[in-house]
Amino acid sequence: MYPIASHWLNYIDGAWADSAQRLIVNNPGTGAPVASIAQASVEDAERALLAARRCADSGELTRVRPAQRVTWLLAIAQEIRAVADEGAWVLCQENGKTLNDARDEFIEAARYFEYYAGMADKIEGTSIPLGNGYMDFTLYDPMGVSAQIVPWNFPVSICARSLAPALAAGNAVVIKSPELSPLGLCVLVNAIERAGLPKGAVNLICGRGREVGAHLAGSSKVDQIVFTGSVPTGQAILANAAQHATPSVMELGGKSAAIAFADADLEQLLASVKSGIFFNAGQVCSAMSRLLVQREIYAQTVEAMVRLAEGLSVGLGQDNPELTPVISAGQLGGIEAICRRAIEEGAVAATGGEAFSDRVGHFMRPTVFRDVSPEMSIAQDEVFGPVLAVIPFDTEEQAIAIANGTLFGLVAGVFTQDINRAMRCTRRLRAGQVFVNEWYAGGIETPFGGVGLSGFGREKGQEALYSYVRTKNVAIRVAGE
Ligand code: NAD
């Protein structure tokens, strides 16, 4: 347990800054206020953009040898590791997630900086043969000012996921933290400050999405927008970004399906469902929100899922239970409304379907819906809560059609002992990432991103670095050859 400051600030142009207005951050498990934070205004956003612009244009991040950026990123990683315990406590209190998961977020954040430190001095172009009389090569220039709009579900690790490659490539960044869970990011940026980057390289503002987020998205001072969040917000940002044709990376929602064939290892499947839909109370963009089960094992699998859900320990994040509260009363109400609609449409809540009535915070009962058909809203719409829709299928063909039958395409999974079937399905699944026999099998090294409404562009892995640069070709006429 660590003391939490009662008021937190924005970080603009190398200094912590207050604002006239404040936002109150509440603990989702108790409803009690954790702290207040300065609510950034559009003017604050402008100051952050000017600071980032100045830093980007000064060349302070790019005229240094790339090895200097390696040093900065490794120093950042070290500073983050040093605050992981304290940061985890703050994040756990404001977000409701378990203390262990909150700590993992800080460690993962440090890993992103270590990983992209390893690439910061290897951003190499190519030479292109044009025959005698010409020399031609490519350069990777940083985009300039990267505006990064972060959601509340994994604020620290998602922020690091975009910030680390952006800095590795020599960009200056303005981070817009999420209103519901902004404090962990203050701990993160406080650690980054100690690594000694040039002023203006990293700015952090916490403002209202529709005001400050929208301002960033529509600003001509922004060279790139990186957004992680919901589909409607992504669409609003893209409409704003269109004004200046600002390039964007969009990491949006999902309705990801796992396909369990009759020969699947049930223990392996159960462990994957447990993390797939109940980890972080199901508030994960790549959650396993649909489980497609071959008819021969449907009844027994539903039974096993119900036992799993009913056996989960529930409590405050600080006690590291298996199920934590969802982020807010609004989120909880939305999840309950989706469950009511599922029941109206004919799905059966085999367990759950409503909030815990005997708990103070925003606790949703772990829910398993059976008799779900693919066209029902519970099989089509993102829930973003601990709610699993179990859908029966007969053939491989049918399973693929159901799995691909939503507007999303973030991740997908296949559970089978048959390698040929796994490979066939993997090819045909319309998703940015496919897991075989373990949900969330990837890591920071594996490219991640969506198809369809799940978005575009890739984060994580080596590939993500190239979202943060633009290619410049240099074509030279050589006389006398
Ligand atoms: P959200 O879209 O409500 O908010 C995300 C961020 O956008 C917040 O910082 C918010 O202030 C800001 N914002 C809101 N309106 C804005 C506007 N008009 N212009 C600019 N910015 C605006 O999302 P959320 O509720 O914080 O997160 C949940 C959603 O995020 C889910 O749909 C989930 O699937 C998605 N998500 C996706 C990924 C991924 O990597 N694909 C990861 C995590 C979450």
Side-chain angles (χ1 to χ4, degrees):
M1 195 165 162
Y2 289 83
I4 297 181
S6 60
H7 185 60
W8 298 64
L9 304 175
N10 295 305
Y11 187 70
I12 302 173
D13 201 10
W16 293 92
D18 209 348
S19 292
Q21 287 188 297
R22 297 178 164 206
L23 284 166
I24 304 295
V25 182
N26 296 312
N27 181 326
T30 63
V34 176
S36 60
I37 183 164
Q39 181 186 323
S41 60
V42 166
E43 291 70 37
D44 293 326
E46 270 299 299
R47 285 204 302 121
L49 282 174
L50 281 172
R53 181 81 272 156
R54 202 181 319 112
C55 180
D57 292 349
S58 72
E60 281 177 282
L61 295 169
T62 46
R63 67 166 183 249
V64 294
R65 294 289 287 237
Q68 176 60 55
R69 293 202 297 275
V70 175
T71 305
W72 280 327
L73 265 65
L74 289 176
I76 290 175
Q78 202 174 356
E79 295 294 345
I80 295 174
R81 284 182 187 277
V83 298
D85 287 331
E86 183 188 347
W89 179 257
V90 174
L91 181 58
C92 160
Q93 295 302 304
E94 66 169 334
N95 192 290
K97 64 177 60 212
T98 72
L99 196 51
N100 288 344
D101 293 342
R103 191 168 191 285
D104 287 349
E105 266 205 55
F106 276 87
I107 299 303
E108 188 168 302
R111 280 285 300 126
Y112 276 116
F113 284 95
E114 287 158 359
Y115 182 84
Y116 289 106
M119 290 190 74
D121 55 354
K122 299 173 194 69
I123 307 175
E124 296 167 356
T126 47
S127 96
I128 299 168
L130 289 181
N132 281 5
Y134 295 95
M135 290 279 270
D136 191 288
F137 57 93
T138 56
L139 298 173
Y140 286 123
D141 288 338
M143 306 294 276
V145 174
S146 175
Q148 307 190 343
I149 302 177
V150 178
W152 47 260
N153 59 339
F154 295 96
V156 172
S157 58
I158 286 177
C159 174
R161 182 174 86 178
S162 310
L163 180 59
L167 291 175
N171 296 282
V173 181
V174 176
I175 305 158
K176 210 298 270 167
S177 52
E179 301 92 308
L180 291 171
S181 185
L183 308 181
L185 283 177
C186 295
V187 178
L188 183 86
V189 169
N190 203 279
I192 292 173
E193 187 182 24
R194 286 194 284 277
L197 270 68
K199 250 171 63 163
V202 177
N203 303 273
L204 174 69
I205 52 175
C206 178
R208 295 273 181 211
R210 285 191 189 170
E211 186 193 349
V212 164
H215 181 76
L216 294 178
S219 171
S220 60
K221 298 188 185 75
V222 168
D223 297 303
Q224 173 198 43
I225 296 159
V226 182
F227 173 69
T228 306
S230 63
V231 173
T233 306
Q235 290 165 330
I237 289 174
L238 284 174
N240 263 327
Q243 295 173 61
H244 302 289
T246 310
S248 308
V249 175
M250 288 282 138
E251 295 284 0
L252 308 177
K255 190 70 196 176
S256 303
I259 305 174
F261 287 96
D263 66 346
D265 177 327
L266 197 59
E267 287 307 305
Q268 217 170 27
L269 179 64
L270 268 175
S272 280
V273 172
K274 187 173 172 187
S275 62
I277 191 64
F278 298 126
F279 163 58
N280 212 42
Q283 302 167 118
V284 185
C285 51
S286 47
M288 184 204 288
S289 52
R290 293 182 295 155
L291 177 60
L292 281 44
V293 183
Q294 204 156 22
R295 198 153 328 251
E296 294 97 293
I297 59 162
Y298 186 75
Q300 77 183 81
T301 305
V302 170
E303 255 176 55
M305 298 309 152
V306 169
R307 274 198 306 276
L308 167 73
E310 292 180 349
L312 294 174
S313 58
V314 183
L316 294 178
Q318 64 207 55
D319 301 322
N320 288 311
E322 291 165 312
L323 190 84
T324 49
V326 298
I327 190 79
S328 65
Q331 181 73 8
L332 184 62
I335 297 169
E336 282 196 295
I338 294 174
C339 289
R340 278 196 300 276
R341 181 149 175 228
I343 293 165
E344 279 161 26
E345 290 177 7
V348 176
T351 188
E354 58 191 2
F356 282 99
S357 54
D358 54 347
R359 290 184 177 271
V360 181
H362 317 307
F363 288 90
M364 180 68 197
R365 283 186 186 281
T367 298
V368 177
F369 275 109
R370 66 173 165 79
D371 301 344
V372 175
S373 52
E375 69 288 350
M376 288 179 181
S377 53
I378 192 67
Q380 290 290 328
D381 301 339
E382 185 177 44
V383 179
F384 224 56
V387 178
L388 180 69
V390 194
I391 306 172
F393 71 88
D394 294 297
T395 64
E396 186 178 316
E397 196 63 29
Q398 210 182 3
I400 296 288
I402 299 171
N404 288 346
T406 74
L407 296 174
F408 297 100
L410 195 51
V411 305
V414 186
F415 290 78
T416 177
Q417 300 300 307
D418 179 343
I419 182 75
N420 295 309
R421 176 150 53 198
M423 292 300 99
R424 282 196 304 272
C425 290
T426 298
R427 266 200 212 287
R428 297 181 65 195
L429 282 164
R430 185 176 170 270
Q433 187 171 35
V434 178
F435 303 128
V436 176
N437 289 337
E438 186 184 281
W439 202 259
Y440 299 138
I444 66 166
E445 305 84 352
T446 53
F448 177 79
V451 175
L453 281 187
S454 292
F456 51 84
R458 290 294 177 266
E459 293 277 33
K460 300 182 168 183
Q462 295 190 27
E463 209 168 307
L465 188 76
Y466 298 93
S467 302
Y468 295 89
V469 291
R470 19 173 157 246
T471 308
K472 179 187 282 167
N473 180 260
V474 183
I476 304 168
R477 178 78 173 97
V478 180
E481 262 190 341

